[in-house]
PDB file of all heavy atoms in Angstrom:
ATOM      1  N   VAL U 298      74.707 146.889  17.294  1.00  0.00           N
ATOM      2  CA  VAL U 298      75.031 146.674  18.707  1.00  0.00           C
ATOM      3  C   VAL U 298      76.405 147.259  18.989  1.00  0.00           C
ATOM      4  O   VAL U 298      77.227 147.407  18.073  1.00  0.00           O
ATOM      5  CB  VAL U 298      75.021 145.168  19.073  1.00  0.00           C
ATOM      6  CG1 VAL U 298      73.636 144.580  18.920  1.00  0.00           C
ATOM      7  CG2 VAL U 298      76.041 144.400  18.241  1.00  0.00           C
ATOM      8  N   PRO U 299      76.709 147.602  20.247  1.00  0.00           N
ATOM      9  CA  PRO U 299      78.064 148.051  20.588  1.00  0.00           C
ATOM     10  C   PRO U 299      79.076 146.927  20.363  1.00  0.00           C
ATOM     11  O   PRO U 299      78.852 145.780  20.761  1.00  0.00           O
ATOM     12  CB  PRO U 299      77.959 148.413  22.070  1.00  0.00           C
ATOM     13  CG  PRO U 299      76.508 148.645  22.311  1.00  0.00           C
ATOM     14  CD  PRO U 299      75.785 147.705  21.393  1.00  0.00           C
ATOM     15  N   VAL U 300      80.182 147.264  19.705  1.00  0.00           N
ATOM     16  CA  VAL U 300      81.225 146.288  19.372  1.00  0.00           C
ATOM     17  C   VAL U 300      82.575 146.847  19.810  1.00  0.00           C
ATOM     18  O   VAL U 300      82.824 148.050  19.674  1.00  0.00           O
ATOM     19  CB  VAL U 300      81.253 145.992  17.859  1.00  0.00           C
ATOM     20  CG1 VAL U 300      82.332 144.969  17.533  1.00  0.00           C
ATOM     21  CG2 VAL U 300      79.909 145.494  17.382  1.00  0.00           C
ATOM     22  N   ALA U 301      83.420 145.988  20.321  1.00  0.00           N
ATOM     23  CA  ALA U 301      84.791 146.376  20.659  1.00  0.00           C
ATOM     24  C   ALA U 301      85.722 145.243  20.266  1.00  0.00           C
ATOM     25  O   ALA U 301      85.314 144.087  20.148  1.00  0.00           O
ATOM     26  CB  ALA U 301      84.926 146.696  22.144  1.00  0.00           C
ATOM     27  N   VAL U 302      86.984 145.568  20.060  1.00  0.00           N
ATOM     28  CA  VAL U 302      88.023 144.585  19.764  1.00  0.00           C
ATOM     29  C   VAL U 302      88.862 144.390  21.015  1.00  0.00           C
ATOM     30  O   VAL U 302      89.395 145.366  21.567  1.00  0.00           O
ATOM     31  CB  VAL U 302      88.913 145.046  18.595  1.00  0.00           C
ATOM     32  CG1 VAL U 302      90.106 144.100  18.420  1.00  0.00           C
ATOM     33  CG2 VAL U 302      88.106 145.102  17.307  1.00  0.00           C
ATOM     34  N   LEU U 303      88.960 143.163  21.473  1.00  0.00           N
ATOM     35  CA  LEU U 303      89.852 142.828  22.585  1.00  0.00           C
ATOM     36  C   LEU U 303      91.199 142.444  21.989  1.00  0.00           C
ATOM     37  O   LEU U 303      91.374 141.336  21.487  1.00  0.00           O
ATOM     38  CB  LEU U 303      89.276 141.687  23.426  1.00  0.00           C
ATOM     39  CG  LEU U 303      90.146 141.168  24.569  1.00  0.00           C
ATOM     40  CD1 LEU U 303      90.512 142.280  25.530  1.00  0.00           C
ATOM     41  CD2 LEU U 303      89.472 140.034  25.312  1.00  0.00           C
ATOM     42  N   GLN U 304      92.133 143.383  22.003  1.00  0.00           N
ATOM     43  CA  GLN U 304      93.459 143.177  21.414  1.00  0.00           C
ATOM     44  C   GLN U 304      94.328 142.413  22.410  1.00  0.00           C
ATOM     45  O   GLN U 304      94.525 142.841  23.549  1.00  0.00           O
ATOM     46  CB  GLN U 304      94.077 144.527  21.056  1.00  0.00           C
ATOM     47  CG  GLN U 304      95.556 144.492  20.679  1.00  0.00           C
ATOM     48  CD  GLN U 304      95.864 143.629  19.480  1.00  0.00           C
ATOM     49  OE1 GLN U 304      96.108 142.441  19.636  1.00  0.00           O
ATOM     50  NE2 GLN U 304      95.865 144.227  18.299  1.00  0.00           N
ATOM     51  N   LEU U 305      94.836 141.266  21.990  1.00  0.00           N
ATOM     52  CA  LEU U 305      95.633 140.415  22.867  1.00  0.00           C
ATOM     53  C   LEU U 305      97.054 140.931  23.038  1.00  0.00           C
ATOM     54  O   LEU U 305      97.727 140.591  24.001  1.00  0.00           O
ATOM     55  CB  LEU U 305      95.653 138.984  22.316  1.00  0.00           C
ATOM     56  CG  LEU U 305      94.276 138.308  22.246  1.00  0.00           C
ATOM     57  CD1 LEU U 305      94.354 137.035  21.432  1.00  0.00           C
ATOM     58  CD2 LEU U 305      93.750 138.010  23.637  1.00  0.00           C
TER      59      LEU U 305
END
Side-chain angles (χ1 to χ4, degrees):
V298 296
V300 180
V302 172
L303 176 57
Q304 169 60 271
L305 298 168

